[in-house]
Amino acid sequence: MASNEDGVFDRWEVINRKIKIDLGSYQKIPSSAISTAQMANYLAQFQTIKNSCDRIVAAVEDVSDLWPTVKELFEQHQPLKRAVLTNKTRNPVLVENLPVEFILTTDARLRSRFPHEQYLYWFREPYATIVLVTCEDLDEFKNILKPRLKLIVQNDEKEWFIVFVSKAHPSNDQATKNAKKVYAKLEVDFSSKKRERCCKLDIHGPDANFWEDLELKITECIRNTLERRVQFYEDEIRKLTEQRFMPIWNFCNFFILKESLAFIFEIAHLHEDALREYDELELCYLETGSFPTPVSLSSISVALTIHVNMPGKQREFGGFDSEDDQAALLKPGSKPLTQMVHDDSFREFDFRQYLFACQSRLLFKLNRPFEVSSRGYSFVISFAKALTFHESVLPFCLREVWVLTACLALLDATASHHHDGVVAPDIEKEFYRLQGDLYSLSRLKFMRLGYLIGYGTDIEKSPLNSACLSMLPWPKPAVWPSLPPDASSEVLEKEKTLLQATSRTKHFGIQRKPLPLEPSVLLRVANRRRASLSTGNISEIFDGRPGFTEGSGLEASPRTPSSLKVQAAPMSRTNSSPGNFESPLDRPMRLAEIFVAAEHALRLTISDHDLLKTLSSVQDFEHKYLNLTKGAAENYHRSWWKRHGVVLDGEIAAVCFKHGKYDLAANSYEKVCALYAGERWQDLLAEVLPNLAECQKILNDQAGYMSSCVRLLSLDKSLFSSKERQAFQSEVVNIAHSEMKNPVPLDVSSLITFSGNTGPPLQLSDGDPGNLSVTVWSGFPDDITLDSLSLTLVATNNTDEGGQALKSSAATVLKPGRNTITFDLPPQKPGSYVLGVVTGQIGRLRFRSHSFSKGGPGETDDFMSYEKPTRPILKVAKPRALVDLSAAVSSALLINEAQWIGVIVRPINYSLKGAILHIDTGPGLKIEDSYGIEMESYMETDCDAGATKAEVSVEDSHVSPKRDSEVLNLCEGKIVFSEWASNVSSILWVPVRALSEKLARGSSSVTPLKQDILEGMRTVALKLEFGVHHNQIFERTIAAHFTDPFDVTTRVANKCNDGTLVLQVMLHSLVKANLIVLDAWLDLQDGFVHGKSDGRPTSTFFPLVVSPGSRAAVVFSISIEKTMPSGKDLQLPESILNIKYEIHGDRAAGAHNPVDAADHSVADAERRDLVFKSAIVLQRPVLDPCLTVGFLPLPSDGLRVGKLITMQWRVERLKELKGSESVEKQHDEVLYEVNANSENWMIAGRKRGYVSLSEEQGSRVVISILCVPLVAGYVRPPQLGLPNVEEANVSSNPPGPHLVCVLPPLLSSSYCVPVK
Amino acid sequence: MIVCVAVVGHQNNPLYIQSFTEAEDALKLHHIVHCSLDVIDERVNNPSKSGTTMNEAFLGLLYPALNYKVYGYLTNTKVKFIMVTSDLDVRDTDVRSFFRKFHAAYVDAVSNPFHVPGKKITSRTFSESVTNIVSSYSFN
């Protein structure tokens, strides 16, 4: 110890020798006498001086008694507006508004000091010396003033400059001149090239520059002085630092030097540098201290080194003074430095707080409250550790109280210094986070204190509080406070409140083991600590255990065998009556006693009355607790830490709930639930959600309440017992069936999920209804009856159109788990459909579920289950041909005979079960009702040959068991299909008869047959109704062609000399069947008679077989009747050809034997022969020509399409007209008419008109007309007719129809280049 | 000792949470893990501020709380591992190696073809291997 003191002294000697001053009386003091008391004196002096000095001092050497005159002026120009100083790293720093105090050198404050003190407290010494002079006489200056000034400025330690004050009035020229002279002389004597040391103040003259000049000069002096002093201190500090680990080292010296330096910086407004000094000081203190626990700023290795270097030496910690429980970490002056010193070292408790206070003061000056917060929080944490280490010797709960007050002090100070928007948003958020942390920490400590005095029952056993409190070890005083002697009434009262406090049962009868708020059983801990005083107690075992594990928060767990023992022994004692123990000291305290004892102890610890008051009653406790919680929550909300904020909101809600502010509680709980639900923390949600539900129930928020119940039900099943889940369900059902005014909509997506059945989607054709079966998963624990249930389908191709709702029939009972519900599906539009939404009703509750499940409701935590399934549940095909009706036969059938018309019914992947076919024949066609309609299966792949086989099978399979053919009866124009025809193509044979009154006409080479397609065309309108509900309708009109068997062409083959004409009749078969001509005869018209025979050709030709498409001919010989009867009694205008025939055809190919003829019931003999009649026109030759028409030859170059030609006919009168009635009126005029096929010819000119033709024989006229041929080929030219003249009187040349050749048009050369 | 380990999905949903305390107080550990997501969010969203290189999965100490410590680890797939320990004197290197082993176990678990990504890990093997890893680390 002595050596150490010597060291201190030596150190100071070094300092003093260097600066060559006399230590004076201090040298005479024996070194050993500089004890702690001395040190304390130093410190006391140091602190006093420091406190008395708050700004830079400039000394004023008032040589000429001017100061009273100029003092005011000088002080007016304070502080220095802009001073450029140098910081520790020799960089210029601009300091604004630096205050400077002017003190006369004769002032007691400067004069009365011992020289050595000047260096000890250098910061208070003047930084500049201003010499004030005035003189108007040069001689006086030279002789008196100058030597005096030289004396003053000879000390080069000083930074000085001279202010020459001119009192001369501007009007006094002489005086002004003198003053100028003297000032000039002064400058010559004292200023140097290097440095200007003089400036001049005209009291009466305006001189603005002077003050700037003065400021510059003062600044220069300050800067120089500052540099020098800093340099000095730094050197000293460096030397001391090097000796840091030597035994002689003394921290106090170091501290005074360091703090002086810091203070020098501080008064020079170089706060950054000052802060750095304090930081270094703290570091050094922590490094040289002897801390068994590593602290934040020092590494473990250094701590160990120090420990080795200073064996057995340990600082006193401190913390025993009154009001030490109130953190002084922001009040540097709370305690004089002398009180912090003990045994030549600083007490850690006080000194670290002092350092932090200095740092934070500078930080506030630097306007960095954020940094105060952040440093403060770390400081509190690390300091709390130090307190923990010394806890056994500190007052009861001092640590808790200190942390609490420290946090509150920090919060107070930083909040008042913080202004929003000043710093970057990031920093601001961080600041609020730190505020939140500080609030949380103080809240935690406050709860701990509250618990210790018995308010534990008022603390919500939430996860947050449990996490805080149950992991925080109990205070570990050396001895647990014992019960004061007169506290029995308090104990009784406490016990009463403890008994009254029943733990609130949760809503729905949820029973959970409450979360612990204590790290271990308080009763045991307290009794053990107390009992450790007595000897021979079992509890000594526990005191032998390391304290660290004791506080691990897990002591209560029966993991270690020792814990097991612990639990057994003290617990039994607790339950036993006090009478078991004789001595009251040994009797374990009951819980109420512990609380009362703790309360008493705390009253001793806590010096702050406000804090005491907050702990004095439950109401005050709760009030403070709420304030702290709110503070934490608000600040966290402003920071990044939203979760912290929301969770704290939940704590506020719990308090609100307790006080009946259910709406506030519900709001906050909603937020907490939303947070947990959003991130699917179901365990935590299960803790909060019942509280929310309870609020909602009390508030009569039925919708919210039901929603909460549903949410509870949809949580993981393991979180609640089945009984609890049943309670949730019964709540839902009860509310739903209660008297609610309005139906309540509710989303139960999380509870009721649904999915389509696996496998391919249901496929329907357009317009078909169906049944859709859907799997619905119920998350309800019991069966639940739904009043209704409906399902919407959403078309995938058309999202904007709301899906159609399918209703399930009547009430549905959903079992827990999987249910299959079948919906009736009305016809849907084509497209593919996915499941939309399930809606339903339970009482007044309208629920909706949007949730699709893949496997079941167990996947509610699966994100993907909320996605819409892409798999369609239903596919409705686009309208397509479902069936095809077509005519089986395209070739012609026999007209006027009963024929089978075949209709092929071809289903296209669609069942025709129960289909109804309506048959409606068009005009000219009728169904032969007397015959049934034959239906048989139809082989599509087969060709005609196959069809033939089919027909064969028809004949012997009427009663075939295969049932692929049958006879159906037409009933009211419709037939019903049989079962067997549902899916196979079938053919229907309908017996019909086409009616035609018209007689077939033969054609000759003169009048060719005009084929009229429509002539034999008949239609059958078919309408097929099919589908499940006959909803599908297919309509088709099929055409059938009917025709006569033959086309008859006649020509006169030969003209015999005897006047017999050989008439050749060609029969052209028009049907696809073999026709067998059995007989043919001719009924001749008037004017013709049969030749040799009786009008029949030679009968040996018959029967004549005419194959399909082939021709046959029969020849008749006829002759012209000589005597032509008069026109009035003509019997036959035309000849009739009669042909008796048979037909051998297949109905699958075309014309066939008529139905009635083929009827098996009719005997062969009675078979009706088929007779075909055709009219033939025979024309008598022209026997009496009057006029002749001759077609004049055409030009030799031929006709060409598009080329204009002139057609010419010559009309010549062959004989004179005499009384012929036909030419009675206009004898000299002939009516002509040009007939031409307009498709072939374009005619220009009069087509019809009169030409004059004299009555005389041989008169002639040429009729010409312009024509353009329109088509190429052999065409019939226009014909000239004479309508007014009977055909018998006109002879034509050529006599019959003839053809002309029309060439195709020439190639157009317009776009062709001729090739040569 | 390690009192709780948790795997938290990239949407901050719990995938696996296992506490190693005997008392029925798992809920408080749920709370601690859940709240520590605030810190992870903050670090991930403000990489500049935290200063740590985001290239490293290990997030370090999340909470300088008085009574327990929470460490975080962020995988490339934004899955978070959180570990709560009641040991107050823990070396970062130990925690790092713990997380590396834990990560390996996690990768094994999710590589199971029957595991659906984003769903809770229910594998018993994973649980066992986690328990083994946890019991092998006692930071004192």
Side-chain angles (χ1 to χ4, degrees):
Chain A
M1 197 60 74
S3 65
N4 193 25
E5 297 306 327
D6 284 341
V8 176
F9 194 68
D10 289 350
R11 188 67 233 139
W12 281 110
E13 256 187 343
V14 170
I15 297 169
N16 294 343
R17 252 201 317 277
K18 177 180 160 44
I19 55 182
K20 296 172 204 160
I21 58 159
D22 185 13
L23 260 180
S25 58
Y26 278 80
Q27 266 182 334
K28 295 179 187 97
I29 301 168
S31 57
S32 58
I34 303 181
S35 62
T36 314
Q38 214 76 47
M39 181 68 68
N41 283 344
Y42 272 132
L43 284 174
Q45 205 180 11
F46 173 72
Q47 199 171 22
T48 323
I49 291 168
K50 210 182 111 193
N51 290 345
S52 67
C53 167
D54 62 341
R55 60 184 73 181
I56 283 175
V57 171
V60 179
E61 186 77 50
D62 192 6
V63 179
S64 315
D65 286 336
L66 287 165
W67 184 239
T69 325
V70 297
K71 186 185 176 190
E72 268 193 33
L73 279 174
F74 268 65
E75 278 169 3
Q76 268 171 20
H77 289 84
Q78 281 309 307
L80 300 184
K81 285 184 194 70
R82 293 163 60 80
V84 178
L85 302 179
T86 327
N87 68 3
K88 198 177 171 187
T89 50
R90 308 284 184 268
N91 290 320
V93 176
L94 178 65
V95 178
E96 290 182 338
N97 295 328
L98 180 69
V100 177
E101 190 176 9
F102 297 102
I103 301 177
L104 279 177
T105 45
T106 52
D107 194 286
R109 281 175 286 174
L110 295 186
R111 202 181 46 184
S112 66
R113 286 171 200 160
F114 296 109
H116 72 268
E117 287 181 322
Q118 290 182 357
Y119 295 94
L120 204 51
Y121 310 116
W122 225 3
F123 47 84
R124 68 171 175 177
E125 296 305 314
Y127 282 70
T129 304
I130 304 168
V131 185
L132 275 177
V133 290
T134 184
C135 183
E136 290 182 1
D137 184 8
L138 208 57
D139 291 340
E140 185 192 334
F141 171 76
K142 276 183 185 165
N143 299 329
I144 302 164
L145 201 55
K146 188 179 162 188
R148 202 174 155 194
L149 288 178
K150 285 282 180 194
L151 200 67
I152 291 170
V153 302
Q154 69 178 352
N155 181 359
D156 39 320
E157 295 291 323
K158 280 183 188 164
E159 281 290 327
W160 56 272
F161 65 96
I162 299 168
V163 176
F164 180 84
V165 182
S166 165
K167 290 196 277 190
H169 202 272
S171 55
N172 189 344
D173 284 352
Q174 187 58 44
T176 317
K177 204 179 279 177
N178 285 344
K180 272 188 182 168
K181 272 184 190 165
V182 172
Y183 180 66
K185 185 72 185 145
L186 187 74
E187 280 190 309
V188 170
D189 287 340
F190 290 98
S191 292
S192 65
K193 273 185 188 169
K194 280 185 190 163
R195 189 159 172 191
E196 189 76 22
R197 287 198 189 258
C198 304
C199 54
K200 183 172 157 228
L201 169 66
D202 276 322
I203 292 182
H204 299 293
D207 197 354
N209 288 340
F210 168 75
W211 296 110
E212 280 175 26
D213 202 12
L214 181 77
E215 194 171 313
L216 280 176
K217 287 201 162 56
I218 294 180
T219 307
E220 192 179 12
C221 291
I222 293 173
R223 186 168 56 233
N224 291 342
T225 312
L226 187 68
E227 265 178 44
R228 194 181 309 151
R229 290 179 185 177
V230 168
Q231 187 60 49
F232 167 74
Y233 274 107
E234 277 192 354
D235 290 345
E236 287 308 305
I237 288 166
R238 195 180 312 118
K239 279 171 198 155
L240 266 189
T241 315
E242 280 162 11
Q243 298 176 335
R244 200 159 43 132
F245 300 127
M246 314 246 258
I248 53 155
W249 197 72
N250 183 297
F251 183 76
C252 270
N253 298 341
F254 185 76
F255 164 73
I256 290 175
L257 278 174
K258 209 63 176 158
E259 171 133 48
S260 298
L261 179 56
F263 192 62
I264 284 173
F265 283 128
E266 191 176 340
I267 60 173
H269 283 207
L270 296 171
H271 300 309
E272 291 274 11
D273 296 86
L275 181 63
R276 199 172 301 123
E277 295 307 310
Y278 278 115
D279 288 349
E280 285 170 15
L281 185 58
E282 184 185 19
L283 193 64
C284 184
Y285 178 76
L286 293 175
E287 273 182 359
T288 54
S290 156
F291 300 109
T293 48
V295 285
S296 58
L297 292 169
S298 66
S299 67
I300 297 165
S301 58
V302 171
L304 285 173
T305 322
I306 304 301
H307 209 80
V308 170
N309 279 351
M310 298 178 168
K313 187 183 169 189
Q314 192 165 342
R315 288 177 192 143
E316 194 178 293
F317 182 73
F320 299 105
D321 297 333
S322 65
E323 302 199 353
D324 266 357
D325 62 298
Q326 295 182 48
L329 81 173
L330 290 172
K331 290 181 275 187
S334 69
K335 220 181 251 189
L337 282 171
T338 47
Q339 282 188 28
M340 299 182 196
V341 176
H342 177 261
D343 203 9
D344 92 357
S345 68
F346 286 100
R347 287 200 193 99
E348 189 185 343
F349 181 83
D350 300 307
F351 188 64
R352 283 183 66 191
Q353 290 195 68
Y354 171 78
L355 283 180
F356 185 83
C358 294
Q359 290 164 346
S360 56
R361 186 188 60 207
L362 288 167
L363 285 170
F364 283 135
K365 281 187 178 169
L366 286 166
N367 201 15
R368 301 209 294 243
F370 160 73
E371 216 167 306
V372 177
S373 282
S374 95
R375 283 167 172 241
Y377 187 73
S378 322
F379 178 74
V380 168
I381 297 281
S382 77
F383 202 70
K385 277 176 191 156
L387 287 171
T388 311
F389 186 70
H390 297 282
E391 197 179 3
S392 58
V393 292
L394 289 173
F396 181 64
C397 279
L398 182 97
R399 177 182 54 156
E400 275 71 23
V401 179
W402 185 87
V403 170
L404 174 59
T405 50
C407 290
L408 293 178
L410 275 173
L411 284 167
D412 244 20
T414 48
S416 62
H417 280 86
H418 177 81
H419 304 288
D420 274 347
V422 174
V423 288
D426 269 8
I427 303 260
E428 199 162 297
K429 291 224 168 198
E430 181 73 5
F431 173 74
Y432 284 120
R433 199 266 295 164
L434 282 163
Q435 299 293 93
D437 279 349
L438 287 168
Y439 266 114
S440 296
L441 189 54
S442 52
R443 177 177 172 277
L444 164 65
K445 291 296 178 186
F446 188 67
M447 283 195 292
R448 168 50 53 89
L449 291 178
Y451 191 94
L452 279 175
I453 60 175
Y455 300 148
T457 48
D458 289 292
I459 300 172
E460 179 82 3
K461 292 180 177 56
S462 62
L464 166 65
N465 289 346
S466 177
C468 296
L469 288 171
S470 74
M471 296 181 91
L472 183 71
W474 290 115
K476 284 189 279 288
V479 180
W480 197 270
S482 55
L483 198 62
D486 52 347
S488 54
S489 62
E490 288 175 58
V491 171
L492 269 177
E493 205 170 312
K494 201 62 111 183
E495 268 186 345
K496 224 161 76 187
T497 49
L498 280 179
L499 283 173
Q500 280 168 356
T502 48
S503 63
R504 191 170 65 88
T505 50
K506 277 203 162 188
H507 194 51
F508 303 113
I510 296 174
Q511 300 217 325
R512 290 280 178 282
K513 194 181 168 204
L515 288 169
L517 290 182
E518 53 285 287
S520 54
V521 181
L522 176 62
L523 198 67
R524 214 175 67 220
V525 172
N527 277 314
R528 190 172 64 224
R529 293 233 161 243
R530 191 173 143 268
S532 65
L533 270 186
S534 61
T535 53
N537 199 306
I538 186 175
S539 307
E540 275 182 349
I541 300 167
F542 309 118
D543 283 306
R545 292 174 60 205
F548 190 73
T549 43
E550 192 177 325
S552 65
L554 299 159
E555 198 189 19
S557 63
R559 280 164 66 90
T560 53
S562 65
S563 310
L564 272 172
K565 265 186 269 168
V566 172
Q567 216 164 25
M571 288 311 281
S572 64
R573 281 197 305 169
T574 318
N575 297 334
S576 63
S577 69
N580 283 359
F581 293 83
E582 307 273 311
S583 160
L585 190 79
D586 282 336
R587 183 180 64 81
M589 292 204 293
R590 282 169 290 140
L591 202 54
E593 288 172 332
I594 293 171
F595 289 153
V596 172
E599 192 171 355
H600 277 272
L602 272 178
R603 273 191 211 138
L604 292 176
T605 308
I606 299 174
S607 60
D608 184 0
H609 293 289
D610 293 338
L611 183 57
L612 264 182
K613 192 176 176 308
T614 57
L615 290 169
S616 64
S617 71
V618 178
Q619 287 74 29
D620 289 324
F621 170 75
E622 221 163 54
H623 182 72
K624 183 76 180 171
Y625 166 75
L626 195 59
N627 276 349
L628 294 176
T629 312
K630 276 182 181 165
E634 278 169 21
N635 281 299
Y636 278 135
H637 278 305
R638 293 189 198 175
S639 75
W640 293 108
W641 291 14
K642 305 294 178 203
R643 291 182 187 86
H644 282 77
V646 175
V647 172
L648 282 160
D649 280 344
E651 300 301 320
I652 297 170
V655 178
C656 291
F657 183 87
K658 206 189 284 176
H659 293 293
K661 297 173 191 160
Y662 299 114
D663 47 346
L664 290 178
N667 273 346
S668 299
Y669 276 136
E670 293 257 26
K671 278 191 254 172
V672 184
C673 290
L675 172 73
Y676 288 145
E679 295 177 344
R680 271 171 284 286
W681 287 76
Q682 297 207 344
D683 295 59
L684 291 167
L685 183 59
E687 181 73 13
V688 191
L689 200 50
N691 298 345
L692 174 63
E694 193 174 357
C695 286
Q696 287 165 331
K697 183 164 195 189
I698 294 168
L699 291 169
N700 204 23
D701 172 14
Q702 286 159 331
Y705 183 56
M706 277 199 286
S707 158
S708 295
C709 290
V710 165
R711 284 165 78 184
L712 279 168
L713 280 170
S714 53
L715 289 181
D716 198 23
K717 284 194 182 70
S718 60
L719 290 171
F720 292 104
S721 68
S722 58
K723 205 173 153 191
E724 286 157 357
R725 288 169 54 79
Q726 281 162 359
F728 304 150
Q729 182 182 342
S730 68
E731 285 290 311
V732 173
V733 174
N734 285 346
I735 297 272
H737 289 106
S738 70
E739 304 247 328
M740 283 193 290
K741 278 180 196 160
N742 300 312
V744 175
L746 188 63
D747 190 330
V748 295
S749 301
S750 49
L751 195 56
I752 293 179
T753 58
F754 54 97
S755 60
N757 285 338
T758 50
L762 178 65
Q763 301 227 3
L764 288 180
S765 295
D766 178 45
D768 275 2
N771 287 321
L772 186 66
S773 146
V774 169
T775 307
V776 176
W777 294 85
S778 164
F780 285 102
D782 284 337
D783 287 1
I784 187 157
T785 309
L786 310 178
D787 298 342
S788 68
L789 184 68
S790 43
L791 171 75
T792 349
L793 293 182
V794 179
T796 50
N797 54 348
N798 187 7
T799 46
D800 46 87
E801 198 174 294
Q804 198 179 351
L806 312 177
K807 282 231 163 201
S808 166
S809 53
T812 315
V813 176
L814 285 186
K815 292 177 299 196
R818 185 190 176 112
N819 298 273
T820 304
I821 311 275
T822 307
F823 293 94
D824 291 334
L825 192 66
Q828 302 286 322
K829 284 183 186 167
S832 70
Y833 292 83
V834 293
L835 293 172
V837 58
V838 159
T839 55
Q841 201 150 357
I842 306 172
R844 304 282 280 166
L845 170 68
R846 279 185 192 160
F847 66 83
R848 292 168 70 79
S849 172
H850 305 268
S851 180
F852 309 95
S853 57
K854 282 184 189 140
E859 298 189 12
T860 42
D861 64 330
D862 187 1
F863 297 110
M864 285 178 276
S865 71
Y866 291 96
E867 286 172 9
K868 286 202 173 243
T870 46
R871 196 173 71 84
I873 184 78
L874 168 69
K875 274 187 177 166
V876 177
K878 287 202 174 120
R880 64 168 176 103
L882 301 172
V883 69
D884 188 33
L885 296 177
S886 58
V889 178
S890 56
S891 63
L893 300 174
L894 285 181
I895 203 161
N896 280 328
E897 298 292 347
Q899 294 275 287
W900 295 106
I901 180 167
V903 177
I904 297 170
V905 182
R906 190 183 290 122
I908 305 171
N909 295 329
Y910 195 86
S911 169
L912 296 178
K913 194 177 166 188
I916 296 171
L917 181 66
H918 295 259
I919 304 171
D920 184 20
T921 51
L925 190 71
K926 75 177 183 72
I927 294 175
E928 294 284 301
D929 291 338
S930 49
Y931 303 95
I933 294 171
E934 290 178 10
M935 186 171 190
E936 61 193 43
S937 64
Y938 176 71
M939 296 300 197
E940 254 178 295
T941 47
D942 286 346
C943 54
D944 286 350
T948 318
K949 277 180 207 154
E951 206 218 2
V952 171
S953 71
V954 168
E955 291 178 352
D956 48 29
S957 64
H958 273 294
V959 286
S960 162
K962 277 171 78 187
R963 296 290 292 164
D964 56 355
S965 67
E966 64 181 317
V967 177
L968 302 167
N969 282 316
L970 193 66
C971 177
E972 293 173 6
K974 60 189 180 187
I975 55 167
V976 181
F977 280 25
S978 298
E979 179 79 29
W980 63 268
S982 298
N983 292 308
V984 294
S985 293
S986 54
I987 187 161
L988 280 171
W989 293 112
V990 185
V992 291
R993 187 189 296 274
L995 301 173
S996 175
E997 298 299 324
K998 213 172 152 191
L999 194 64
R1001 295 196 77 85
S1003 63
S1004 65
S1005 54
V1006 181
T1007 52
L1009 182 75
K1010 282 183 184 170
Q1011 287 282 349
D1012 187 0
I1013 300 292
L1014 290 175
E1015 175 73 27
M1017 196 68 88
R1018 299 290 184 275
T1019 56
V1020 182
L1022 299 168
K1023 183 172 141 190
L1024 187 65
E1025 288 178 356
F1026 59 104
V1028 182
H1029 295 295
H1030 289 150
N1031 51 300
Q1032 303 282 4
I1033 288 175
F1034 182 80
E1035 285 181 298
R1036 161 76 50 99
T1037 300
I1038 58 173
H1041 189 220
F1042 291 88
T1043 184
D1044 291 315
F1046 298 107
D1047 177 30
V1048 176
T1049 319
T1050 55
R1051 85 183 171 100
V1052 176
N1054 205 357
K1055 207 184 223 176
C1056 302
N1057 293 336
D1058 57 352
T1060 307
L1061 298 171
V1062 176
L1063 182 68
Q1064 185 186 34
V1065 176
M1066 277 166 289
L1067 303 173
H1068 186 181
S1069 167
L1070 291 178
V1071 295
K1072 256 184 160 177
N1074 287 335
L1075 293 166
I1076 301 163
V1077 180
L1078 300 175
D1079 195 6
W1081 68 96
L1082 201 57
D1083 297 331
L1084 283 171
Q1085 67 191 81
D1086 295 334
F1088 293 92
V1089 290
H1090 291 291
K1092 293 164 192 166
S1093 60
D1094 54 347
R1096 281 184 165 83
T1098 321
S1099 60
T1100 50
F1101 289 130
F1102 298 118
L1104 175 67
V1105 177
V1106 183
S1107 303
S1110 61
R1111 295 182 201 208
V1114 284
V1115 177
F1116 296 94
S1117 75
I1118 56 171
S1119 58
I1120 297 167
E1121 200 176 6
K1122 298 285 191 263
T1123 52
M1124 183 74 189
S1126 63
K1128 285 181 183 171
D1129 47 354
L1130 283 175
Q1131 286 178 341
L1132 285 168
E1134 51 197 2
S1135 312
I1136 301 291
L1137 173 70
N1138 298 288
I1139 296 173
K1140 192 164 106 183
Y1141 67 99
E1142 271 179 7
I1143 182 161
H1144 285 197
D1146 179 5
R1147 66 179 177 183
H1152 51 272
N1153 212 12
V1155 179
D1156 43 0
D1159 199 338
H1160 292 273
S1161 58
V1162 183
D1164 281 351
E1166 293 172 36
R1167 266 170 58 176
R1168 186 172 62 82
D1169 285 330
L1170 300 174
V1171 174
F1172 168 65
K1173 287 176 189 287
S1174 179
I1176 299 171
V1177 178
L1178 301 172
Q1179 196 178 355
R1180 287 167 64 91
V1182 179
L1183 299 176
D1184 187 17
C1186 299
L1187 290 169
T1188 174
V1189 177
F1191 185 73
L1192 294 185
L1194 290 167
S1196 57
D1197 54 347
L1199 304 178
R1200 222 170 250 288
V1201 171
K1203 192 179 165 192
L1204 204 66
I1205 54 146
T1206 307
M1207 289 274 181
Q1208 287 179 321
W1209 291 270
R1210 192 180 63 199
V1211 180
E1212 189 177 343
R1213 207 177 280 280
L1214 294 180
K1215 59 180 178 186
E1216 280 181 55
L1217 284 176
K1218 286 177 186 167
S1220 171
E1221 59 272 20
S1222 60
V1223 285
E1224 241 175 305
K1225 287 169 187 171
Q1226 290 154 326
H1227 299 293
D1228 52 352
E1229 284 190 333
V1230 174
L1231 180 68
Y1232 75 91
E1233 190 177 35
V1234 177
N1235 294 314
N1237 186 347
S1238 61
E1239 285 177 6
N1240 296 343
W1241 299 93
M1242 193 169 75
I1243 299 190
R1246 289 185 66 180
K1247 282 188 188 174
R1248 187 183 166 99
Y1250 289 94
V1251 286
S1252 64
L1253 185 66
S1254 136
E1255 291 176 16
E1256 286 168 27
Q1257 184 183 6
S1259 62
R1260 55 179 71 167
V1261 69
V1262 171
I1263 298 170
S1264 60
I1265 198 157
L1266 279 172
C1267 300
V1268 180
L1270 297 177
V1271 291
Y1274 287 92
V1275 294
R1276 184 161 291 187
Q1279 281 173 288
L1280 186 77
L1282 302 172
N1284 284 353
V1285 186
E1286 286 208 15
E1287 270 183 54
N1289 297 332
V1290 180
S1291 128
S1292 298
N1293 185 30
H1298 64 278
L1299 301 173
V1300 293
C1301 176
V1302 180
L1303 300 174
L1306 285 172
L1307 285 176
S1308 170
S1309 60
S1310 302
Y1311 302 104
C1312 299
V1313 179
V1315 181
K1316 292 228 167 164
Chain B
M1 62 171 277
I2 293 172
V3 293
C4 182
V5 288
V7 181
V8 179
H10 74 285
Q11 287 177 304
N12 288 333
N13 52 320
L15 297 180
Y16 178 83
I17 183 158
Q18 178 66 51
S19 51
F20 298 95
T21 57
E22 300 280 327
E24 289 177 33
D25 55 359
L27 213 50
K28 75 178 184 195
L29 297 167
H30 278 246
H31 162 82
I32 291 170
V33 171
H34 179 244
C35 276
S36 64
L37 293 175
D38 267 340
V39 191
I40 294 178
D41 277 358
E42 187 185 7
R43 295 213 186 158
V44 172
N45 295 334
N46 305 298
S48 58
K49 199 185 67 179
S50 61
T52 55
T53 48
M54 285 312 291
N55 296 332
E56 201 190 9
F58 180 58
L59 294 171
L61 178 65
L62 302 180
Y63 266 129
L66 274 180
N67 32 17
Y68 56 87
K69 287 191 167 192
V70 184
Y71 286 87
Y73 185 91
L74 183 69
T75 70
N76 287 329
T77 52
K78 302 280 176 267
V79 170
K80 294 131 197 155
F81 300 150
I82 293 166
M83 185 264 280
V84 186
T85 172
S86 59
D87 294 329
L88 296 181
D89 186 12
V90 182
R91 273 186 307 180
D92 263 12
T93 47
D94 289 343
V95 185
R96 264 175 224 269
S97 81
F98 166 79
F99 274 128
R100 265 197 293 277
K101 286 191 182 173
F102 191 67
H103 195 173
Y106 169 78
V107 169
D108 285 348
V110 296
S111 304
N112 183 341
F114 296 104
H115 173 77
V116 181
K119 285 198 71 180
K120 284 191 173 171
I121 301 169
T122 48
S123 154
R124 217 177 312 126
T125 318
F126 178 66
S127 191
E128 276 164 21
S129 63
V130 167
T131 311
N132 284 338
I133 295 169
V134 165
S135 58
S136 69
Y137 278 87
S138 170
F139 294 115
N140 277 341

